[in-house]
Amino acid sequence: MSVNADLRRERAAATFQPELLTHILDGGPERTRRRKEIEALVLNDPDFQHEDLNFLSRSQRYEQAIRKSSLMVMKLREYGIADPEEIYWFKSFVHRGRPEPLDLHLGMFLPTLLTQATPEQQDRFFMPAWNLEIIGTYAQTEMGHGTHLRGLETTATYDPSTQEFILNSPTVTSIKWWPGGLGKTSNHAIVLAQLYTQGQCKGLHAFIVPIRQLGTHEPLPGITVGDIGPKFGYDEMDNGYLKMDNFRIPRENMLMKYAQVEPDGTYVKPVSDKLTYGTMVFIRSLIVGDSARSLSRACTIAIRYSAVRHQSELKPGEPEPQILDYQTQQYKLFPLLATAYAFHFVGAYIKATYHRINGDISKGDLSELPELHALTAGLKAFTSWTANAGIEECRMACGGHGYSRCSGIPDIYVTFTPSCTYEGENTVMMLQTARFLMKSYTQVTSGQQVSGMVSYLNDLSRQRIQPQHVAARTVTVRINDPTSLVEAYKSRAARLVESAAKNLQAELAHRKSKEDAWNRTSVDLVRASEAHCHYVVVKLFTAKLAEVGDAAVRAVLTELCLLYALFGISRNAGDFLQAGILSSAQITQVNQQVKELLAVIRPNAVALVDSFDFHDVHLGSVLGRYDGNVYENMFEWAKKSPLNKTQVHESFHKHLKPMQAKL
């Protein structure tokens, strides 16, 4: 079939070469080439073909995922793909961006063994886990506690007479609940439990617990394990429960790289309790990249479909326009497109920073860890909240057809939305960032300098010398200059951090309890963290522009960067006005400029989503197809619905016909 005429015209009108932008997103032309090579390995492999998952039951979807995961592990070995990034690409092409039952084995169980097990433990567990004789998950969350780890109730009590730990789930709320792969797939779990030895609780520690018999896969005596039932999405994942009834494991099954329990029960505590942050920070940095990818997929579908879909009339008697020509449609979608690009660059920055700081940590330098922890917590929340709302906005921008599973957007939404909760509930994450911001603010007010992304707080002490109302400052923001807008966002963050800190101090003066004061200021604290994260995103997007060599690509990215920054100002105008950063007249200019940028970006919209370079199979959308032949394919897709296997459904003879006969 030929490509839809509208999309052909859109692509011909672009002012830049999409593949050059793809290279920037991938990190260079060589990386793009390699990604496409790995993509082709999967797409051309008949073993990975399957029918549309939307037409399968949950049990069938789980089985398909297990089938493909098993094949995937064998093919990765066969092709010799060992680079973590390349494994990630291969995996996401095989599973088309959906979760799969081995996610926690590959993403949590193996890395935790590498970072927290002793050499002897690695000898014992790593190779069997690498070869999938041992299939593991990471059992932290319980029915009664998630993000608040100190509240976990599972116990591991050391018995020196047998040199064993006794693992127990003492209450119904202590049952491990939610870990992926726990229900039916895993035969081992890394269990987080409160360690008791010599009559004392030593806090949370990790233990390797066998849960099913190798070979038969039957649950072991003392272990109750199963699937927690259907969820909003994640049909292919067996999120599970685990109840342990005084279940004994050898002393050597406690992960002992940092903390140890000696044979007589003596507890040896770790050098730094911060070292186990590594995995957590890494996963949170991945979620930032995931936010970018999921929002990019939704934008690709909505923008291509908006170029193909014609509706109503702008002028009487003329042909129906593309819905992408309506300013309201552009206003919904283009800021989200700009956001997707912004988050791509933030994700790349976080990943690079993680690897750099991780190198320092291995040399014993932990100085940058607090900021990295605060930054990944805040950006994980900021990007996942924004992307989550943006995906739903893209779905609604597709009208009625967006509600069909054939659009692909419902699937993107239900797969992405749990990231607002897992690896740290977003509000709690924002409050962790706020804790770091308050600490930094306190340092500045006591005369110390702070560094890194919070260094803007150093300016606050300088401003105090001048009178409070600095009217002259309103003139300095140039709304067409990204660098100037970074300064505006910086001032907003500083003001909101300062305001939250002052409110916290006022509450402390009224009340004795620090915790109570914190709770009563927490809405302001979350807003301060959001403003900080928003500033970081605008700053990083702007910094990226200088690195772009091709003038045409740089021009279009600058337009997106301006739209991202100005749209953010128009949405938060009150903050900029209240702090005296912008005048009322400037806010009016900002709103006007946003509308003008929509018209400027319009000719490049399709080319900008093409640059994300999602293959149709990965996109999984009838509406977002590269060739734009939406309607023919929607009809073909509907015909495959299981309800259409027979012309007359059995329920007609069972229920409708008898009723008609009686009435």
Side-chain angles (χ1 to χ4, degrees), residues 308-546:
V308 169
R309 178 83 167 172
H310 291 253
Q311 203 76 119
S312 285
E313 40 185 33
L314 274 170
K315 295 175 187 148
E318 289 199 4
E320 292 185 298
Q322 295 160 280
I323 59 173
L324 199 54
D325 287 336
Y326 290 99
Q327 190 184 57
T328 47
Q329 189 75 347
Q330 296 168 12
Y331 189 73
K332 285 173 198 170
L333 296 176
F334 295 175
L336 293 174
L337 176 63
T339 303
Y341 272 94
F343 289 0
H344 266 286
F345 300 136
V346 173
Y349 168 84
I350 288 274
K351 203 163 73 182
T353 306
Y354 168 78
H355 288 304
R356 177 177 63 75
I357 293 181
N358 221 23
D360 298 341
I361 292 169
S362 56
K363 294 186 203 117
D365 173 9
L366 305 179
S367 59
E368 287 193 75
L369 200 57
E371 174 165 26
L372 179 67
H373 183 252
L375 196 61
T376 48
L379 286 171
K380 179 263 178 189
F382 184 81
T383 57
S384 59
W385 264 336
T386 308
N388 190 56
I391 294 163
E392 176 64 355
E393 197 153 355
C394 288
R395 185 189 66 75
M396 289 197 273
C398 292
H401 295 322
Y403 189 68
S404 167
R405 294 275 276 276
C406 80
S407 75
I409 302 182
D411 231 10
I412 296 170
Y413 185 83
V414 296
T415 302
F416 180 74
T417 195
S419 65
C420 293
T421 310
Y422 63 53
E423 296 306 322
E425 195 280 327
N426 279 1
T427 302
V428 179
M429 293 298 93
M430 281 299 191
L431 288 167
Q432 285 192 6
T433 303
R435 230 170 253 291
F436 179 74
L437 293 173
M438 291 304 106
K439 207 182 247 176
S440 304
Y441 178 82
T442 308
Q443 284 176 306
V444 168
T445 50
S446 65
Q448 291 169 267
Q449 291 278 300
V450 289
S451 62
M453 287 288 185
V454 285
S455 55
Y456 62 83
L457 294 174
N458 294 328
D459 303 342
L460 284 171
S461 50
R462 258 174 261 143
Q463 286 167 11
R464 285 233 174 65
I465 308 156
Q466 300 151 7
Q468 199 49 49
H469 189 68
V470 202
R473 294 188 62 241
T474 51
V475 200
T476 56
V477 179
R478 296 178 304 285
I479 64 167
N480 285 324
D481 174 8
T483 319
S484 183
L485 295 174
V486 173
E487 291 303 311
Y489 273 90
K490 183 194 275 190
S491 301
R492 170 185 176 231
R495 291 306 160 89
L496 283 175
V497 169
E498 182 173 42
S499 156
K502 286 183 168 165
N503 288 352
L504 183 60
Q505 283 159 359
E507 286 292 344
L508 275 169
H510 284 208
R511 284 174 189 76
K512 307 286 179 286
S513 150
K514 218 156 65 172
E515 294 71 23
D516 203 18
W518 182 265
N519 183 36
R520 293 181 73 106
T521 321
S522 52
V523 169
D524 307 324
L525 291 164
V526 169
R527 290 203 58 224
S529 291
E530 284 176 331
H532 174 70
C533 292
H534 210 156
Y535 153 68
V536 170
V537 176
V538 174
K539 178 183 161 79
L540 293 174
F541 198 166
T542 304
K544 187 72 194 175
L545 302 175

Side-chain angles (χ1 to χ4, degrees), residues 305 308 401 622-625 627-635:
Y305 177 60
V308 169
H401 295 322
V622 171
L623 302 188
R625 296 170 58 96
D627 66 10
N629 297 314
V630 171
Y631 300 119
E632 308 86 325
N633 285 288
M634 196 183 292
F635 190 33

Side-chain angles (χ1 to χ4, degrees), residues 258-309:
Y258 299 119
Q260 281 121 28
V261 170
E262 291 176 347
D264 67 354
T266 306
Y267 178 73
V268 183
K269 66 175 214 236
V271 187
S272 165
D273 57 352
K274 296 273 195 294
L275 292 167
T276 51
Y277 277 1
T279 320
M280 196 163 62
V281 166
F282 178 64
I283 302 275
R284 284 178 194 161
S285 68
L286 290 181
I287 293 173
V288 176
D290 203 24
S291 301
R293 273 183 294 276
S294 299
L295 184 56
S296 305
R297 282 173 73 190
C299 285
T300 302
I301 294 165
I303 286 173
R304 281 183 186 161
Y305 177 60
S306 297
V308 169
R309 178 83 167 172

